[in-house]
Each structure stands twice: as C-alpha cells, then as structure tokens.
Amino acid sequence: MATAVPAEQDAVARSLPGARPHGTRPPGVLPRDPGAGFDLVVVGVGPGSAGARTAAALTAAALAGDPYRLVVSAGIGGGFAPDAPVGSLVVADAITAADLGAETADGFLPVTDLGFGTVTHRPPETLVRDLTAASGARRGTVLTVSTVTGTADRAALLRARHPGALAEAMEGFGVAEAAAAAGLPVVEIRAVSNPVGPRDRAAWRIADALAALTGGFGKFAPVLGSWKPYDL
Ligand SMILES: O=C(O)c1cccc(C(=O)CC[C@H]2O[C@@H](n3cnc4c(=O)[nH]cnc43)[C@H](O)[C@@H]2O)c1
C-alpha cells in the first residue's frame, strides 16, 4: 500500500488494524486478522520518488523470499467537477501520466507517440469492478501529474485530452511503473480533497478526504485481501 505522506498512510491504516510498515513483517508469517496481509510504504510526493521507493520495497520483499502479489497506490487527490466531488472516492480503471511527453507547435505528444514506453497502466478489471461494487466509489481514469493543476484552462485541457479522467494526483503512474517492472498488478484509489482547477490551497478539505479514505478502506480491504489475479 503506497501513500505519498504519513497522514495518508495513517488514514488507510485506521481501517487495516493488522497492517505494518514495509519490512517489519517476518517472512512466511500467515496473517490472522483483517488487514494483517497489508504492508504500508510512504513513497514521497511525485512520480519519481513514488516509483523509486515502490521499486525498492518490491525488490526487497522479493529478495527476502516474501514477494508481494498486488500493489495499491492510495491517497488524496484532486477531482474533476462535477463528476468527482470533494469527499468522493475514485478507483482508477486507468492510471495515466498526463504530462509525460513533448510539447510541439501542434500540441502535446505523449511519449508513446514519440516511440517510447507507456503512458497508461490498467488495473485488473475484476478488481476495479469489485472495489467499486463494495464501496460505491466512482471508477475512471486517474491522471498522474508532476505539477498540481492550478487554473481552469489547464483543468479543461486535461479533461479534453482525457475525457475519462475523474481525478488527478502525483504518484499513481510511478507506483504503477514499479509494479509493472516487478510483474505485479496495480490499482490506484483516491479520496478527493479539492477540485482540479484554480489554485485555492486553503479550500482543500484534507481532513474530509482522509476520513473518506479511512471509510473507503473498511470496504476495500476485504476485496483487496481476497482478490485473485484470474483475469490477468
Ligand atoms: O497537510 C496535510 O495535513 C496533508 C495531509 C495529507 C496529505 C497532504 C498532501 O498535501 C498530500 C499531497 C498529495 O496529494 C495529492 N493531491 C491532492 N490534491 C491534488 C491535486 O489537485 N492535484 C494533484 N495532486 C493532488 C498528490 O498526490 C500529492 O502527493 C497534506
């Protein structure tokens, strides 16, 4: 379970009583209580830090002979109005790097158009379906940005480029790249703290979003714990 900051980790952990910080679980110990199958990692803000720290955690677990089977990127995020209001939960059916590419005179080109890499990771459909059914969370694209959107024009441009986008945050694509490199499925879950648009940091409803994250994980945990990758 990768979160950017400790406050997000605490919000998730409140619904996963047996969860532990990454690296503290003795290899091979079978979980006995709900939540005990989850490890928590603070991966920092932004896709670079998130990717590096997630990759390090996945590699360490694999080398210890106790590899992970699913990677979850979770935290607060901005929501595109009116579809993802403040306090709502979004489960990503696509995790897309929104600004990974090149500006040209004719507009933005994703790196895939330049012949490199990928810009979207898709969480397993059955997992997205079961998480949304269990919680009432919305499903849609979650964009990963390196710069928080701060104007209505930029929000409109992102939505035009990504019509399925419900939310933006700063870590999902980095976490997903690390998961893909390790051959693991990934999902991203965001609780909306602010609308994507003109910057008004004072209006971010962080406490409400963290509470929504805690409430959501009470419903997500059984699904995440029992999900089998039969549709990969
Ligand atoms: O100040 C606090 O108490 C606090 C508690 C929890 C989290 C924070 C953060 O500032 C987390 C930054 C984190 O949030 C994501 N985020 C939230 N809104 C947006 C947005 O509109 N656009 C992009 N990212 C957003 C992001 O993933 C950051 O890593 C503070």
Side-chain angles (χ1 to χ4, degrees), residues 47 50-51 73 95-98 100 111 117-121 142-145 169-179 188 190:
S73 172
I95 301 169
T96 295
L100 186 60
V111 284
T118 184
V119 289
T120 294
H121 292 278
V142 177
L143 302 178
T144 301
V145 294
M170 303 178 77
E171 294 78 30
F173 187 77
V175 172
E177 286 276 282
E188 181 172 6
R190 291 285 163 182

Side-chain angles (χ1 to χ4, degrees), residues 18 20-31 36 39 64-66:
R20 302 185 195 186
H22 160 74
T24 61
R25 185 185 309 280
V29 171
L30 289 174
D39 281 0
D66 196 19

Side-chain angles (χ1 to χ4, degrees), residues 4-5 7-8 45-46 76-78 145 148-149 168-171 190 193-194 196 201 204 206 210:
V5 299
E8 294 170 318
V45 171
I76 65 172
V145 294
V148 174
T149 298
E168 72 165 35
M170 303 178 77
E171 294 78 30
R190 291 285 163 182
S193 54
N194 57 282
V196 177
R201 186 66 165 77
W204 284 29
I206 291 176
L210 293 175

Side-chain angles (χ1 to χ4, degrees), residues 50-202:
R53 295 197 205 179
T54 303
L58 298 180
T59 303
L63 290 175
D66 196 19
Y68 294 111
R69 60 185 192 89
L70 173 66
V71 181
V72 182
S73 172
I76 65 172
F80 286 93
D83 300 320
V86 170
S88 65
L89 291 164
V90 177
V91 174
D93 57 16
I95 301 169
T96 295
D99 48 20
L100 186 60
E103 285 291 353
T104 76
D106 298 322
F108 176 78
L109 290 180
V111 284
T112 43
D113 284 14
L114 305 172
F116 304 116
T118 184
V119 289
T120 294
H121 292 278
R122 295 194 185 279
E125 172 56 29
T126 55
L127 182 57
V128 174
R129 181 196 67 201
D130 293 352
L131 288 170
T132 51
S135 63
R138 293 156 169 80
R139 62 177 286 165
T141 299
V142 177
L143 302 178
T144 301
V145 294
S146 292
T147 304
V148 174
T149 298
T151 65
D153 282 355
R154 177 73 183 166
L157 186 145
L158 286 173
R159 200 68 192 283
R161 229 178 246 164
H162 306 281
L166 287 189
E168 72 165 35
M170 303 178 77
E171 294 78 30
F173 187 77
V175 172
E177 286 276 282
L184 292 172
V186 65
V187 68
E188 181 172 6
I189 296 169
R190 291 285 163 182
V192 175
S193 54
N194 57 282
V196 177
R199 182 165 177 78
D200 182 5
R201 186 66 165 77

